[in-house]
Amino acid sequence: MATTHDSLLLKFRTRDSLHGVTRLTVKALAQQLDVNETQVVHLALSKLASEILPSYEPDDGPLSERQIKAVRRDANDLLPIGETIREEVLFG
């Protein structure tokens, strides 16, 4: 199976700002992190992705009243009945 390597042309800014950095900044980061410049870009993009992109698939929205009633019925059938044997408080 052949693999393909996508590439991306990266044009650096003439000065550092919120929207980009200079080549000198990338070189300084690479030296500080002891990695190459390409790895600096991958690290930065990975961090940005984890901050912005959701880590889970969106759900179907809130439960309907019918679904809530079904969950309550199932919970009532599965919850234990009788005296409380021991009670613990997580936040007191």
Side-chain angles (χ1 to χ4, degrees), residues 12-55:
F12 293 97
R13 307 293 186 186
T14 55
R15 62 185 172 88
D16 291 334
S17 71
L18 290 175
H19 303 288
V21 295
T22 63
R23 180 74 180 264
L24 189 60
T25 298
V26 173
K27 285 179 182 276
L29 285 167
Q31 184 177 8
Q32 181 70 32
L33 296 171
D34 195 26
V35 297
N36 63 38
E37 293 173 43
T38 300
Q39 191 61 33
V40 168
V41 174
H42 281 289
L43 288 168
L45 290 173
S46 176
K47 184 174 181 177
L48 183 63
S50 67
E51 290 175 7
I52 292 178
L53 299 176
S55 58

Side-chain angles (χ1 to χ4, degrees), residues 54-60:
S55 58
Y56 53 86
E57 292 293 321
D59 61 23
D60 297 331

Side-chain angles (χ1 to χ4, degrees), residues 36-88:
N36 63 38
E37 293 173 43
T38 300
Q39 191 61 33
V40 168
V41 174
H42 281 289
L43 288 168
L45 290 173
S46 176
K47 184 174 181 177
L48 183 63
S50 67
E51 290 175 7
I52 292 178
L53 299 176
S55 58
Y56 53 86
E57 292 293 321
D59 61 23
D60 297 331
L63 296 176
S64 68
E65 195 61 39
R66 183 177 176 186
Q67 291 169 319
I68 292 171
K69 287 179 183 176
V71 169
R72 287 188 177 138
R73 274 193 309 272
D74 289 345
N76 286 335
D77 292 344
L78 298 172
L79 288 174
I81 299 172
E83 290 183 44
T84 302
I85 298 172
R86 182 180 73 221
E87 183 176 312
E88 295 180 26

